Amino acid sequence: MEFFPRRSGRLYAESVPLSEIAEQFGTPCYVYSRAALTDAYRSYDAAFDRRLLICYAVKANPNLAILNLFACLGSGFDVVSGGELRRVIAAGGDPGKTVFSGVGKSAEEMRFALEAGILCFNVESKGELRRLDRIAGEAGKTARVSVRVNPDVDARTHPYIATGLKQNKFGVAYADALPLYRIAAASPNLQVTGIDCHIGSQLTEIAPFVAALEKILTLLDRLTSENIQVSHLDLGGGLGIRYRNELPPSIDEYARAVTSRLAARDQSILLEPGRSLVGNAGLLLTRVEYLKHSENKNFAVVDAAMNDLLRPALYDAWHDIVPVEETDASRCRYDIVGPVCESADFFARDRELVVNEGALLAVLSAGAYGMSMSSNYNTRPRAAEVMVDGGKVHLIRERETFDQLIAGEKRLALSCDSGP
Ligand code: LLP
């Protein structure tokens, strides 16, 4: 099923024309398809023929409606801050199905997560392990832990989103993992329950996943031989999606590669997918403010900007950009840029487009790391978000207002003419 079909020249989200959404909610606006989200989740669930807990990586898109949808489908969650855990709880998610990743968990975040009863802390250093043991002891609780192992495999992805190499800050060096597990196993307030790894994001090949899994299994055997029991293997997220011409493995291929290597093991599997659940389930709707032609460049200035979708500016990422309605304007190559005062404020360079001023454009594959990385740079209120469900459109986040933007700020009562 196509979730964003084109019919008679008009682009739709499920059965709602995007132009109607722009009319009703304004632009820029993120639009998600409930059916696409559900379909991606079910594909994971169906592909694994063994005990599997999907822990959706909240950072990819933390809107409460999206978390709530996944919670209703049975999902667990991967969080990287106390704030994300609060979102999971606010959305009706189960803390008992939630893992906590990240290199910098504060004492306060640990207390909160212990109180909430999360499934597991994915511990990333010896210091963190010690702190967690102490805090769990003070709280009279036992913290369930995995060590996030850095398997030193090359994920062959953008350097900013590779995490499994020795030089990355993430996880514990492979050689240090066993000694750390021994410490964990001997700590009175910790209970070892899993092994964790996550090697990077937007992976388009199976081989790095398999290489990481094999190292995890070797470690698992060592732990078993030392009588340190592990009940789950957390293989992280990272499965890529198609933005342009990538050919990432399908969820089925990925599942086959993983499960075929686990046949003889009885551990359950945890996965932390983010992008592959939400990336292609959302787009950013924006309107062309001006077409600007100069001697050797043409610009389409749109009303969304790098503060709304940072990926092109930060990673030089490609997003397909298509007109919402076909017109008879002339075909032209444009740099598609936003109003922010930075040369990096672009969505695409030299892209062929047929558009008029005032036309709507859809920036595709924007469901992951779009809204979640947005900011208020240039005092731009954040975009609205809607979720389409068949013929219905639900506003799931109101467009931010100027008053919300300055709510926490204070003017000092200075008199302007009393300066030095
Ligand atoms: N688990 C952990 C511990 C992670 O750090 C991440 C993503 C995930 C799971 C989910 O990975 P995914 O399935 O989404 O690839 N802002 C970048 C992506 C950063 C990913 C950070 N970690 C982007 O826009 O491409």
Side-chain angles (χ1 to χ4, degrees):
M1 175 185 165
E2 257 206 277
F3 304 108
F4 298 103
R6 190 176 286 281
R7 299 191 193 113
S8 319
R10 304 175 87 192
L11 196 61
Y12 284 66
E14 301 194 19
S15 29
V16 182
L18 285 170
S19 52
E20 280 179 18
I21 294 176
E23 208 52 55
Q24 193 178 349
F25 300 99
T27 52
C29 180
Y30 276 98
V31 181
Y32 309 111
S33 152
R34 175 176 172 178
L37 295 162
T38 306
D39 183 75
Y41 182 86
R42 294 224 166 105
S43 304
Y44 266 104
D45 228 11
F48 285 79
D49 58 357
R50 52 185 295 133
R51 268 185 306 141
L52 169 74
L53 179 63
I54 298 168
C55 292
Y56 166 61
V58 172
K59 64 170 82 70
N61 191 323
N63 186 288
L64 292 192
I66 289 180
L67 302 185
N68 177 245
L69 172 63
F70 286 140
C72 291
L73 292 168
S75 188
F77 298 92
D78 166 51
V79 299
V80 290
S81 69
E84 285 191 350
L85 179 54
R86 278 176 207 274
R87 276 186 180 272
V88 167
I89 295 167
D94 182 355
K97 289 183 179 174
T98 299
V99 297
F100 195 160
S101 306
V103 292
K105 301 174 195 78
S106 71
E108 197 186 327
E109 286 175 322
M110 287 176 175
R111 272 184 219 107
F112 176 59
L114 280 166
E115 205 50 52
I118 65 162
L119 177 63
C120 190
F121 289 84
N122 291 337
V123 171
E124 304 216 13
S125 65
K126 195 196 277 184
E128 183 187 335
L129 199 71
R130 293 226 165 95
R131 178 186 275 183
L132 184 59
D133 183 45
R134 176 174 59 77
I135 286 174
E138 285 164 9
K141 309 243 180 218
T142 301
R144 290 176 283 270
V145 296
S146 290
V147 172
R148 176 168 173 185
V149 181
N150 184 335
D152 193 26
V153 300
D154 186 353
R156 283 179 278 194
T157 183
H158 189 286
Y160 285 12
I161 53 177
T163 52
L165 282 172
K166 266 191 195 144
Q167 64 261 36
N168 299 129
K169 70 177 174 181
F170 298 98
V172 173
Y174 190 72
D176 298 339
L178 189 59
L180 204 57
Y181 269 106
R182 290 184 187 129
I183 298 175
S187 300
N189 308 303
L190 303 180
Q191 183 197 353
V192 171
T193 57
I195 306 178
D196 172 45
C197 87
H198 169 80
I199 56 174
S201 199
Q202 184 56 13
L203 270 67
T204 52
E205 296 166 51
I206 285 282
F209 287 117
V210 170
L213 176 57
E214 270 161 7
K215 288 188 120 173
I216 296 283
L217 292 178
T218 307
L219 176 62
L220 174 63
D221 291 339
R222 289 299 306 270
L223 293 175
T224 311
S225 73
E226 296 199 13
N227 212 18
I228 299 175
Q229 298 308 330
V230 166
S231 58
H232 75 249
L233 302 178
D234 180 342
L235 306 180
L239 187 61
I241 62 167
R242 188 163 195 167
Y243 285 99
R244 187 181 185 183
N245 46 16
E246 305 91 333
L247 285 174
S250 68
I251 292 171
D252 278 330
E253 282 171 76
Y254 171 69
R256 269 197 302 276
V258 169
T259 46
S260 65
R261 282 165 180 86
L262 293 174
R265 320 275 179 163
D266 55 8
Q267 280 75 19
S268 64
I269 297 298
L270 256 72
L271 298 177
E272 302 170 358
R275 189 190 318 264
S276 50
L277 286 177
V278 295
N280 277 326
L283 56 79
L284 174 61
L285 193 55
T286 181
R287 196 178 285 282
V288 177
E289 296 279 14
Y290 303 103
L291 294 178
K292 187 171 161 179
H293 303 276
S294 65
E295 203 178 315
N296 43 16
K297 270 274 174 206
N298 301 305
F299 295 96
V301 184
V302 298
D303 65 1
M306 64 189 286
N307 75 297
D308 299 301
L309 177 65
L310 186 61
R311 303 192 71 258
L314 189 58
Y315 315 114
D316 212 7
W318 175 285
H319 286 262
D320 276 340
I321 301 179
V322 295
V324 166
E325 292 186 335
E326 286 167 5
T327 62
D328 54 4
S330 52
R331 183 174 295 276
C332 199
R333 278 189 182 275
Y334 291 101
D335 278 14
I336 303 171
V337 301
V340 161
C341 302
E342 298 268 353
S343 294
D345 182 25
F346 69 94
F347 291 122
R349 298 213 197 268
D350 283 324
R351 208 62 85 78
E352 249 187 31
L353 267 188
V354 181
V355 277
N356 292 317
E357 284 188 355
L360 289 168
L361 296 177
V363 183
L364 304 183
S365 310
Y369 306 108
M371 190 63 177
S372 63
M373 292 172 75
S374 67
S375 76
N376 294 122
Y377 189 39
N378 280 205
T379 305
R380 290 173 49 85
R382 261 171 295 201
E385 293 179 287
V386 302
M387 190 187 289
V388 175
D389 181 10
K392 287 203 247 48
V393 186
H394 303 281
L395 180 63
I396 60 169
R397 180 181 170 128
E398 291 173 9
R399 183 176 307 287
E400 215 164 19
T401 62
F402 173 71
D403 285 346
Q404 287 170 332
L405 278 190
I406 59 162
E409 297 180 33
K410 282 199 181 52
R411 254 180 74 171
L412 298 179
L414 300 179
S415 126
C416 296
D417 50 17
S418 67

